[in-house]
Amino acid sequence: MSLQRAIKKHPLAIRWFHWVNFPVLAVMVWSGLLIYWGNDVYRLGWGDKTLLKFFPQSFYDALNVPFRLAQGMAFHFLFMWLFFINGALYVLYTMFSGEWRFLLPGRHSFREAWQVVLHDLHLRKGLPPQEKYNAAQRIAYSAIVVFGFGSLVTGLAIYKPIQLGWLCTLCGGYAFARILHFALTIGYVLFFMVHIIQVLLAGWNNFQAMVSGIEVVKEVLPVVAASATGPDTESASDDRPHIPDTMETGITHPEAAINDLPPVNDNPNPETNEPAL
Amino acid sequence: MRKNSFSSREVQMEGKDIRRKKLVSFAVFIALLSVGYFAWYKLYNQPQGEGKIQPALRSVLVTNERLFSKFYSANRKAKSYSKSDATANVRVNGNVGVGDNFDPAAWHLKVARKTGDTLTLSLDDLKALPKTEVVFDFKCVEGWNQVTYWGGVRVSDFLRKYNLAPQMAMGYVGMVTPDSAYYVGVDMPSMLQPQTLLCYEMNGKPLPKNQGAPLRLIIPVKYGIKHLKRIGTIFFSNTKPRDYWAELGYDYYAGL
């Protein structure tokens, strides 16, 4: 008999959406590359100076990209449906389950995210207190949802630029919408690289939670005096992980705050507690 | 404990229960991964039919076509530009069907009204009809676009003038180059869109040879692959006419 503290970190739905999205997005990026090859005019640079061409021939050859435009389009226009449906269900679930409380950045997230970055670069000791995600994760995981929405919108704009002419105009015209669509894809790839490194560094216990849903709680969550720039760090006096109440109430929907029992250290103005979007 | 707090999700579990839950989760995870990989393997390696892509992908393209043609409206036009926006260096991106073995002076447009009933017209016959000009952003399936300026007779004007109303009620229009090397099929609603031209002018001058002189199709609601150069024969059908690029794996509809 050995009781352990575990937290139900990721609901089944979130795990499902995550692991469906991963291969679907991979196919979208790959088939998008087959399409992009047909007119591969983008580069980083200025004037005649090119720092990085998208993409070098060796890159295309290594991935067997050339002369597969038709195939790329066909795969892209099948998997776009899966990407859209899975993404829409994820957003709906996150909205209605309340899971958004642990995802969206709050008032302090941007300051704290900087502390997280400094910590991860070994320039700072200790992390600000967190719930499911730290502030940098909140920003990154929320941003990637915005990216997904952006890919859908810019994708539709270049898919049906006449029937959805207003959308194409909204995206800055056909050529610019294509640039945005491409840039968002580069964004996914960069996100993916950082994500993989961070997951590797975070270790097995963290990773397996995205499969099993549960994560065994390590005894003490780090608490840092430096986070005392906020007024509420003294509030955690019970045996829970040391999480200041503002970290919860600071992002609580007003209705939920009313239903909560008992209000421990509630913000007197719950109306102002909207997440900073 | 706060109802919506993350810490309220904390539970006390026995070590062996945690281990069992993880084991079951990973078994299901790996099973689903295998199913997903198997499905991908079957799709990717499905023998390609005549359409040069996997039949499953072709059927999705056809489904997309059905869906998006429901939302198609001839009232939604390609954005018009001023003539000064049009490029002088119009890109030439293909020469299938426009080979050198061709005598423009001997050219006539053949319109197959029905089997065995072919109308033969000269370029002057077409020039006698009202001229329409379009300046629009030409879009290639490869991903580039160019503002270009064209003149000719609207397909819809042409069909009405030559009393082809029964043909206009059919599903598709087919076009073929004189040497039969290039051919397209286009759904009738797109063909009747008011910016769709039987085109004989580019940038206010007679169509150059490499742009399909004496007569080509300009159809702004489609990718460039449908803008057939050097029209030889026009015909009508309720089934999809053959299409050069669709046979090479591209979407038949190619609608923008």
Side-chain angles (χ1 to χ4, degrees):
Chain A
M1 179 89 182
S2 69
L3 277 176
Q4 280 182 281
R5 291 167 60 199
I7 196 137
K8 291 181 175 171
K9 191 176 184 183
H10 302 295
L12 178 61
I14 297 281
R15 285 176 273 153
W16 175 264
F17 298 135
H18 175 272
W19 289 114
V20 169
N21 189 63
F22 172 44
V24 167
L25 185 56
V27 172
M28 287 305 277
V29 172
W30 166 74
S31 56
L33 181 63
L34 300 187
I35 297 169
Y36 170 74
W37 175 87
N39 184 40
D40 60 337
V41 291
Y42 303 148
R43 65 193 179 100
L44 283 183
W46 58 90
D48 292 333
K49 175 79 180 159
T50 297
L51 294 178
L52 179 60
K53 182 189 185 314
F54 297 113
F55 293 94
Q57 189 60 39
S58 55
F59 176 79
Y60 289 135
D61 291 340
L63 294 178
N64 186 24
V65 169
F67 301 105
R68 298 177 75 187
L69 171 61
Q71 210 180 27
M73 293 177 82
F75 276 111
H76 214 63
F77 300 151
L78 163 58
F79 280 79
M80 68 178 184
W81 292 113
L82 307 181
F83 180 71
F84 164 63
I85 292 166
N86 190 62
L89 289 176
Y90 167 78
V91 169
L92 287 174
Y93 175 83
T94 302
M95 277 168 63
F96 289 108
S97 68
E99 202 69 14
W100 59 269
R101 289 184 182 84
F102 311 120
L103 175 73
L104 296 180
R107 279 175 298 170
H108 308 299
S109 293
F110 290 90
R111 190 190 64 214
E112 288 175 6
W114 180 240
Q115 296 168 355
V116 173
V117 169
L118 292 178
H119 169 268
D120 289 357
L121 295 173
H122 301 279
L123 298 173
R124 182 184 194 279
K125 284 205 170 102
L127 278 167
Q130 68 178 73
E131 295 183 277
K132 182 177 179 180
Y133 296 133
N134 67 42
Q137 285 175 301
R138 283 177 183 266
I139 291 168
Y141 300 162
S142 297
I144 209 72
V145 179
V146 176
F147 275 36
F149 182 73
S151 287
L152 281 176
V153 168
T154 55
L156 265 176
I158 46 186
Y159 186 50
K160 298 293 167 192
I162 295 176
Q163 298 308 310
L164 298 172
W166 59 274
L167 193 66
C168 194
T169 306
L170 203 70
C171 293
Y174 184 77
F176 191 67
R178 187 173 183 263
I179 292 173
L180 287 177
H181 200 67
F182 179 84
L184 286 164
T185 308
I186 298 295
Y188 292 129
V189 175
L190 294 178
F191 172 90
F192 178 74
M193 289 175 176
V194 175
H195 190 52
I196 291 300
I197 292 168
Q198 293 284 43
V199 168
L200 285 174
L201 292 175
W204 174 255
N205 195 33
N206 169 73
F207 170 78
Q208 65 77 35
M210 197 36 112
V211 176
S212 72
I214 56 169
E215 183 170 333
V216 172
V217 178
K218 298 269 166 36
E219 274 319 302
V220 187
L221 286 179
V223 181
V224 190
S227 67
T229 42
D232 307 305
T233 41
E234 76 287 351
S235 62
S237 53
D238 56 12
D239 61 350
R240 293 185 294 147
H242 192 141
I243 297 166
D245 267 313
T246 42
M247 287 300 291
E248 294 160 20
T249 59
I251 50 163
T252 301
H253 191 275
E255 239 174 65
I258 291 160
N259 293 335
D260 277 346
L261 294 170
V264 180
N265 189 17
D266 249 334
N267 188 312
N269 299 311
E271 292 82 3
T272 62
N273 284 342
E274 291 302 319
L277 272 173
Chain B
M1 190 153 288
R2 310 180 64 79
K3 192 181 75 179
N4 291 310
S5 71
F6 188 56
S7 50
S8 72
R9 291 200 200 162
E10 192 176 313
V11 289
Q12 302 270 333
M13 288 176 82
E14 286 211 43
K16 65 172 167 46
D17 290 339
I18 291 178
R19 276 194 300 281
R20 189 171 59 222
K21 181 161 173 47
K22 287 182 182 177
L23 204 66
V24 170
S25 299
F26 271 87
V28 172
F29 182 64
I30 289 166
L32 288 174
L33 268 186
S34 309
V35 170
Y37 180 76
F38 182 72
W40 170 254
Y41 183 87
K42 294 299 276 185
L43 172 64
Y44 191 83
N45 293 298
Q46 189 181 27
Q48 296 181 5
E50 287 176 17
K52 290 280 180 187
I53 51 169
Q54 290 84 339
L57 294 179
R58 175 65 66 191
S59 70
V60 172
L61 291 181
V62 170
T63 305
N64 289 345
E65 169 176 350
R66 282 205 197 103
L67 178 72
F68 285 103
S69 55
K70 275 203 181 72
F71 292 104
Y72 171 84
S73 166
N75 296 325
R76 288 194 279 266
K77 294 188 182 165
K79 186 182 165 191
S80 286
Y81 293 79
S82 73
K83 290 173 190 174
S84 57
D85 291 333
T87 182
N89 304 312
V90 181
R91 191 156 162 175
V92 179
N93 211 54
N95 52 13
V96 181
V98 285
D100 289 334
N101 187 19
F102 177 69
D103 177 12
W107 176 87
H108 282 279
L109 175 66
K110 295 192 191 102
V111 183
R113 286 181 284 209
K114 39 183 106 140
T115 321
D117 174 16
T118 300
L119 182 70
T120 303
L121 298 170
S122 70
L123 193 59
D124 286 338
D125 292 331
L126 295 168
K127 284 184 174 171
L129 299 175
K131 186 165 116 182
T132 300
E133 295 188 328
V134 291
V135 185
F136 79 105
D137 190 23
F138 182 102
K139 295 172 187 73
C140 179
V141 74
E142 292 173 349
W144 53 268
N145 59 304
Q146 223 180 17
V147 175
T148 49
Y149 163 34
W150 311 89
V153 54
R154 273 188 188 136
V155 171
S156 56
D157 287 350
F158 164 76
L159 294 176
R160 276 191 207 99
K161 200 74 180 178
Y162 280 89
N163 298 316
L164 295 165
Q167 284 77 7
M168 288 166 78
M170 297 175 84
Y172 298 90
V173 176
M175 291 187 181
V176 185
T177 54
D179 64 359
S180 301
Y182 198 92
Y183 37 88
V184 296
V186 176
D187 56 284
M188 190 62 78
S190 300
M191 215 42 145
L192 299 181
Q193 201 260 11
Q195 293 170 302
T196 303
L197 306 182
L198 297 176
C199 163
Y200 49 77
E201 278 182 8
M202 185 183 85
N203 288 335
K205 298 190 201 85
L207 205 56
K209 199 175 164 193
N210 61 10
Q211 289 291 349
L215 189 72
R216 71 172 296 175
L217 179 65
I218 286 293
I219 180 161
V221 294
K222 300 288 188 188
Y223 278 123
I225 47 175
K226 295 285 189 186
H227 297 226
L228 180 136
K229 293 172 184 170
R230 196 188 284 171
I231 305 172
T233 305
I234 301 177
F235 64 98
F236 308 89
S237 169
N238 277 322
T239 54
K240 284 180 175 175
R242 282 182 70 193
D243 188 274
Y244 183 86
W245 287 106
E247 288 175 1
L248 292 174
Y250 288 83
D251 178 24
Y252 189 95
Y253 189 59
L256 296 168

Short mmCIF file of all heavy atoms in Angstrom, two decimals, chain B residues 20-60:
data_model
loop_
_atom_site.label_atom_id
_atom_site.label_comp_id
_atom_site.label_asym_id
_atom_site.label_seq_id
_atom_site.Cartn_x
_atom_site.Cartn_y
_atom_site.Cartn_z
N ARG B 20 -0.80 0.68 -13.63
CA ARG B 20 -1.73 0.00 -14.52
C ARG B 20 -2.37 1.00 -15.49
O ARG B 20 -2.51 0.74 -16.67
CB ARG B 20 -2.82 -0.72 -13.73
CG ARG B 20 -3.68 -1.62 -14.62
CD ARG B 20 -4.61 -2.49 -13.81
NE ARG B 20 -5.49 -1.68 -12.98
CZ ARG B 20 -5.80 -1.96 -11.71
NH1 ARG B 20 -5.29 -3.02 -11.14
NH2 ARG B 20 -6.61 -1.17 -11.04
N LYS B 21 -2.72 2.17 -14.97
CA LYS B 21 -3.35 3.19 -15.84
C LYS B 21 -2.39 3.60 -16.95
O LYS B 21 -2.78 3.76 -18.12
CB LYS B 21 -3.76 4.40 -15.01
CG LYS B 21 -4.44 5.48 -15.85
CD LYS B 21 -5.24 6.44 -15.01
CE LYS B 21 -5.76 7.62 -15.84
NZ LYS B 21 -6.39 7.26 -17.11
N LYS B 22 -1.14 3.79 -16.59
CA LYS B 22 -0.15 4.17 -17.60
C LYS B 22 0.00 3.08 -18.65
O LYS B 22 0.08 3.35 -19.85
CB LYS B 22 1.20 4.45 -16.94
CG LYS B 22 1.25 5.76 -16.17
CD LYS B 22 2.64 5.98 -15.58
CE LYS B 22 2.68 7.27 -14.77
NZ LYS B 22 3.99 7.47 -14.13
N LEU B 23 0.03 1.85 -18.18
CA LEU B 23 0.22 0.72 -19.09
C LEU B 23 -0.93 0.64 -20.09
O LEU B 23 -0.72 0.51 -21.30
CB LEU B 23 0.30 -0.58 -18.27
CG LEU B 23 1.05 -1.74 -18.92
CD1 LEU B 23 2.52 -1.38 -19.07
CD2 LEU B 23 0.89 -3.01 -18.09
N VAL B 24 -2.16 0.73 -19.58
CA VAL B 24 -3.34 0.67 -20.45
C VAL B 24 -3.31 1.83 -21.44
O VAL B 24 -3.53 1.67 -22.64
CB VAL B 24 -4.63 0.69 -19.61
CG1 VAL B 24 -5.85 0.88 -20.51
CG2 VAL B 24 -4.75 -0.59 -18.79
N SER B 25 -2.99 3.03 -20.93
CA SER B 25 -2.96 4.21 -21.79
C SER B 25 -1.98 4.02 -22.93
O SER B 25 -2.30 4.31 -24.09
CB SER B 25 -2.56 5.45 -21.00
OG SER B 25 -3.50 5.70 -19.99
N PHE B 26 -0.79 3.54 -22.61
CA PHE B 26 0.22 3.39 -23.66
C PHE B 26 -0.14 2.28 -24.63
O PHE B 26 0.16 2.37 -25.82
CB PHE B 26 1.60 3.16 -23.04
CG PHE B 26 2.31 4.46 -22.78
CD1 PHE B 26 2.12 5.14 -21.59
CD2 PHE B 26 3.13 5.02 -23.75
CE1 PHE B 26 2.75 6.35 -21.37
CE2 PHE B 26 3.76 6.23 -23.52
CZ PHE B 26 3.57 6.90 -22.33
N ALA B 27 -0.82 1.23 -24.13
CA ALA B 27 -1.25 0.16 -25.03
C ALA B 27 -2.25 0.72 -26.04
O ALA B 27 -2.14 0.48 -27.25
CB ALA B 27 -1.87 -0.98 -24.23
N VAL B 28 -3.22 1.50 -25.54
CA VAL B 28 -4.21 2.10 -26.44
C VAL B 28 -3.54 3.08 -27.40
O VAL B 28 -3.81 3.10 -28.60
CB VAL B 28 -5.31 2.82 -25.62
CG1 VAL B 28 -6.24 3.61 -26.53
CG2 VAL B 28 -6.09 1.81 -24.79
N PHE B 29 -2.61 3.86 -26.85
CA PHE B 29 -1.90 4.86 -27.65
C PHE B 29 -1.16 4.20 -28.81
O PHE B 29 -1.28 4.61 -29.97
CB PHE B 29 -0.91 5.61 -26.75
CG PHE B 29 -0.14 6.69 -27.44
CD1 PHE B 29 -0.78 7.81 -27.96
CD2 PHE B 29 1.24 6.62 -27.54
CE1 PHE B 29 -0.07 8.83 -28.57
CE2 PHE B 29 1.96 7.63 -28.17
CZ PHE B 29 1.31 8.73 -28.68
N ILE B 30 -0.44 3.14 -28.49
CA ILE B 30 0.34 2.46 -29.54
C ILE B 30 -0.59 1.78 -30.54
O ILE B 30 -0.35 1.78 -31.75
CB ILE B 30 1.33 1.47 -28.89
CG1 ILE B 30 2.44 2.29 -28.21
CG2 ILE B 30 1.93 0.53 -29.93
CD1 ILE B 30 3.29 1.49 -27.25
N ALA B 31 -1.71 1.23 -30.04
CA ALA B 31 -2.69 0.62 -30.95
C ALA B 31 -3.24 1.65 -31.92
O ALA B 31 -3.32 1.41 -33.14
CB ALA B 31 -3.81 -0.02 -30.15
N LEU B 32 -3.59 2.83 -31.40
CA LEU B 32 -4.14 3.88 -32.26
C LEU B 32 -3.08 4.39 -33.24
O LEU B 32 -3.38 4.66 -34.41
CB LEU B 32 -4.70 5.04 -31.42
CG LEU B 32 -5.99 4.73 -30.67
CD1 LEU B 32 -6.37 5.89 -29.76
CD2 LEU B 32 -7.13 4.45 -31.65
N LEU B 33 -1.85 4.52 -32.76
CA LEU B 33 -0.75 4.93 -33.65
C LEU B 33 -0.63 3.95 -34.81
O LEU B 33 -0.45 4.35 -35.96
CB LEU B 33 0.57 4.95 -32.88
CG LEU B 33 1.04 6.23 -32.23
CD1 LEU B 33 2.44 6.03 -31.65
CD2 LEU B 33 1.04 7.37 -33.22
N SER B 34 -0.73 2.66 -34.48
CA SER B 34 -0.60 1.63 -35.51
C SER B 34 -1.74 1.74 -36.53
O SER B 34 -1.51 1.65 -37.73
CB SER B 34 -0.62 0.24 -34.88
OG SER B 34 0.32 0.19 -33.83
N VAL B 35 -2.95 1.96 -36.02
CA VAL B 35 -4.09 2.12 -36.92
C VAL B 35 -3.87 3.32 -37.84
O VAL B 35 -4.06 3.25 -39.06
CB VAL B 35 -5.41 2.30 -36.12
CG1 VAL B 35 -6.55 2.72 -37.03
CG2 VAL B 35 -5.75 1.01 -35.38
N GLY B 36 -3.43 4.42 -37.24
CA GLY B 36 -3.18 5.63 -38.02
C GLY B 36 -2.10 5.41 -39.06
O GLY B 36 -2.26 5.80 -40.23
N TYR B 37 -1.03 4.75 -38.65
CA TYR B 37 0.05 4.50 -39.60
C TYR B 37 -0.41 3.58 -40.73
O TYR B 37 -0.09 3.80 -41.90
CB TYR B 37 1.26 3.89 -38.90
CG TYR B 37 2.39 3.64 -39.87
CD1 TYR B 37 3.17 4.69 -40.34
CD2 TYR B 37 2.62 2.36 -40.38
CE1 TYR B 37 4.17 4.48 -41.28
CE2 TYR B 37 3.62 2.13 -41.31
CZ TYR B 37 4.39 3.19 -41.76
OH TYR B 37 5.37 2.99 -42.69
N PHE B 38 -1.19 2.57 -40.37
CA PHE B 38 -1.70 1.63 -41.37
C PHE B 38 -2.59 2.37 -42.39
O PHE B 38 -2.46 2.17 -43.60
CB PHE B 38 -2.49 0.51 -40.68
CG PHE B 38 -3.02 -0.53 -41.63
CD1 PHE B 38 -2.16 -1.43 -42.24
CD2 PHE B 38 -4.38 -0.60 -41.91
CE1 PHE B 38 -2.65 -2.39 -43.12
CE2 PHE B 38 -4.88 -1.56 -42.78
CZ PHE B 38 -4.01 -2.45 -43.39
N ALA B 39 -3.46 3.24 -41.88
CA ALA B 39 -4.35 4.00 -42.76
C ALA B 39 -3.53 4.87 -43.71
O ALA B 39 -3.80 4.94 -44.92
CB ALA B 39 -5.32 4.85 -41.94
N TRP B 40 -2.50 5.53 -43.15
CA TRP B 40 -1.64 6.37 -43.97
C TRP B 40 -0.92 5.54 -45.02
O TRP B 40 -0.84 5.91 -46.19
CB TRP B 40 -0.63 7.11 -43.09
CG TRP B 40 0.43 7.81 -43.89
CD1 TRP B 40 1.72 7.43 -44.04
CD2 TRP B 40 0.28 9.00 -44.67
NE1 TRP B 40 2.39 8.29 -44.87
CE2 TRP B 40 1.54 9.28 -45.27
CE3 TRP B 40 -0.80 9.86 -44.91
CZ2 TRP B 40 1.75 10.37 -46.10
CZ3 TRP B 40 -0.59 10.96 -45.74
CH2 TRP B 40 0.67 11.21 -46.32
N TYR B 41 -0.41 4.38 -44.61
CA TYR B 41 0.33 3.50 -45.52
C TYR B 41 -0.56 3.07 -46.68
O TYR B 41 -0.15 3.08 -47.84
CB TYR B 41 0.83 2.28 -44.73
CG TYR B 41 1.66 1.33 -45.55
CD1 TYR B 41 3.04 1.51 -45.70
CD2 TYR B 41 1.06 0.25 -46.20
CE1 TYR B 41 3.79 0.65 -46.47
CE2 TYR B 41 1.81 -0.62 -46.98
CZ TYR B 41 3.18 -0.41 -47.10
OH TYR B 41 3.93 -1.25 -47.87
N LYS B 42 -1.82 2.69 -46.35
CA LYS B 42 -2.75 2.26 -47.40
C LYS B 42 -3.06 3.42 -48.36
O LYS B 42 -3.11 3.22 -49.58
CB LYS B 42 -4.06 1.75 -46.78
CG LYS B 42 -3.92 0.48 -45.97
CD LYS B 42 -3.42 -0.68 -46.80
CE LYS B 42 -4.57 -1.37 -47.55
NZ LYS B 42 -4.05 -2.58 -48.26
N LEU B 43 -3.27 4.60 -47.80
CA LEU B 43 -3.60 5.76 -48.64
C LEU B 43 -2.42 6.11 -49.53
O LEU B 43 -2.56 6.27 -50.75
CB LEU B 43 -3.97 6.96 -47.76
CG LEU B 43 -4.16 8.29 -48.48
CD1 LEU B 43 -5.34 8.22 -49.45
CD2 LEU B 43 -4.38 9.43 -47.49
N TYR B 44 -1.24 6.22 -48.91
CA TYR B 44 -0.06 6.68 -49.65
C TYR B 44 0.30 5.71 -50.77
O TYR B 44 0.73 6.11 -51.84
CB TYR B 44 1.11 6.85 -48.68
CG TYR B 44 2.29 7.57 -49.27
CD1 TYR B 44 2.32 8.96 -49.33
CD2 TYR B 44 3.38 6.87 -49.77
CE1 TYR B 44 3.40 9.63 -49.88
CE2 TYR B 44 4.46 7.52 -50.32
CZ TYR B 44 4.47 8.91 -50.37
OH TYR B 44 5.53 9.57 -50.92
N ASN B 45 0.11 4.41 -50.49
CA ASN B 45 0.53 3.41 -51.46
C ASN B 45 -0.61 2.86 -52.30
O ASN B 45 -0.44 1.86 -53.01
CB ASN B 45 1.23 2.25 -50.73
CG ASN B 45 2.53 2.72 -50.12
OD1 ASN B 45 3.44 3.14 -50.82
ND2 ASN B 45 2.62 2.67 -48.80
N GLN B 46 -1.76 3.51 -52.22
CA GLN B 46 -2.87 3.05 -53.05
C GLN B 46 -2.46 3.15 -54.52
O GLN B 46 -1.93 4.17 -54.95
CB GLN B 46 -4.11 3.93 -52.79
CG GLN B 46 -5.37 3.40 -53.44
CD GLN B 46 -6.57 4.30 -53.17
OE1 GLN B 46 -6.42 5.49 -52.95
NE2 GLN B 46 -7.76 3.72 -53.18
N PRO B 47 -2.68 2.08 -55.31
CA PRO B 47 -2.28 2.13 -56.71
C PRO B 47 -2.97 3.29 -57.42
O PRO B 47 -4.17 3.50 -57.25
CB PRO B 47 -2.77 0.79 -57.27
CG PRO B 47 -2.95 -0.09 -56.08
CD PRO B 47 -3.30 0.80 -54.95
N GLN B 48 -2.17 4.07 -58.17
CA GLN B 48 -2.73 5.24 -58.83
C GLN B 48 -3.51 4.81 -60.06
O GLN B 48 -3.03 4.02 -60.86
CB GLN B 48 -1.61 6.21 -59.21
CG GLN B 48 -0.93 6.74 -57.98
CD GLN B 48 0.18 7.71 -58.28
OE1 GLN B 48 0.38 8.08 -59.43
NE2 GLN B 48 0.88 8.13 -57.26
N GLY B 49 -4.69 5.34 -60.16
CA GLY B 49 -5.53 5.03 -61.31
C GLY B 49 -5.14 5.90 -62.49
O GLY B 49 -4.01 6.35 -62.60
N GLU B 50 -6.09 6.12 -63.39
CA GLU B 50 -5.80 6.91 -64.58
C GLU B 50 -5.58 8.38 -64.24
O GLU B 50 -4.97 9.11 -65.00
CB GLU B 50 -6.95 6.79 -65.57
CG GLU B 50 -6.98 5.42 -66.25
CD GLU B 50 -8.18 5.27 -67.15
OE1 GLU B 50 -8.80 6.29 -67.49
OE2 GLU B 50 -8.49 4.11 -67.51
N GLY B 51 -6.08 8.81 -63.09
CA GLY B 51 -5.98 10.21 -62.73
C GLY B 51 -4.64 10.60 -62.13
O GLY B 51 -4.46 11.70 -61.68
N LYS B 52 -3.68 9.69 -62.13
CA LYS B 52 -2.32 9.96 -61.67
C LYS B 52 -2.20 10.31 -60.19
O LYS B 52 -1.14 10.70 -59.72
CB LYS B 52 -1.68 11.10 -62.48
CG LYS B 52 -1.36 10.72 -63.90
CD LYS B 52 -0.06 9.93 -63.97
CE LYS B 52 0.24 9.57 -65.42
NZ LYS B 52 1.38 8.67 -65.54
N ILE B 53 -3.28 10.22 -59.44
CA ILE B 53 -3.16 10.30 -57.99
C ILE B 53 -3.99 9.17 -57.40
O ILE B 53 -4.79 8.55 -58.09
CB ILE B 53 -3.63 11.65 -57.38
CG1 ILE B 53 -5.03 12.01 -57.89
CG2 ILE B 53 -2.63 12.75 -57.62
CD1 ILE B 53 -5.65 13.16 -57.15
N GLN B 54 -3.80 8.96 -56.11
CA GLN B 54 -4.51 7.90 -55.43
C GLN B 54 -6.02 8.12 -55.62
O GLN B 54 -6.51 9.23 -55.40
CB GLN B 54 -4.16 7.91 -53.94
CG GLN B 54 -2.74 7.48 -53.62
CD GLN B 54 -1.72 8.60 -53.75
OE1 GLN B 54 -1.96 9.59 -54.42
NE2 GLN B 54 -0.58 8.43 -53.11
N PRO B 55 -6.76 7.07 -55.99
CA PRO B 55 -8.21 7.22 -56.17
C PRO B 55 -8.91 7.81 -54.95
O PRO B 55 -9.87 8.56 -55.09
CB PRO B 55 -8.67 5.79 -56.45
CG PRO B 55 -7.48 5.12 -57.07
CD PRO B 55 -6.29 5.73 -56.40
N ALA B 56 -8.41 7.50 -53.75
CA ALA B 56 -9.03 8.06 -52.55
C ALA B 56 -8.89 9.58 -52.53
O ALA B 56 -9.81 10.31 -52.15
CB ALA B 56 -8.40 7.46 -51.29
N LEU B 57 -7.71 10.07 -52.95
CA LEU B 57 -7.51 11.51 -52.99
C LEU B 57 -8.38 12.14 -54.08
O LEU B 57 -8.94 13.22 -53.90
CB LEU B 57 -6.04 11.84 -53.25
CG LEU B 57 -5.07 11.44 -52.14
CD1 LEU B 57 -3.64 11.79 -52.55
CD2 LEU B 57 -5.42 12.13 -50.84
N ARG B 58 -8.50 11.43 -55.21
CA ARG B 58 -9.35 11.95 -56.29
C ARG B 58 -10.79 12.08 -55.81
O ARG B 58 -11.46 13.08 -56.11
CB ARG B 58 -9.26 11.01 -57.51
CG ARG B 58 -10.18 11.37 -58.64
CD ARG B 58 -9.86 12.69 -59.29
NE ARG B 58 -8.58 12.68 -59.98
CZ ARG B 58 -7.98 13.77 -60.46
NH1 ARG B 58 -8.53 14.96 -60.32
NH2 ARG B 58 -6.81 13.67 -61.05
N SER B 59 -11.25 11.10 -55.05
CA SER B 59 -12.65 11.18 -54.61
C SER B 59 -12.85 12.34 -53.64
O SER B 59 -13.92 12.94 -53.59
CB SER B 59 -13.10 9.85 -54.01
OG SER B 59 -12.45 9.64 -52.78
N VAL B 60 -11.79 12.68 -52.87
CA VAL B 60 -11.91 13.85 -51.99
C VAL B 60 -11.96 15.13 -52.82
O VAL B 60 -12.74 16.04 -52.55
CB VAL B 60 -10.75 13.90 -50.97
CG1 VAL B 60 -10.79 15.20 -50.19
CG2 VAL B 60 -10.85 12.72 -50.02
#
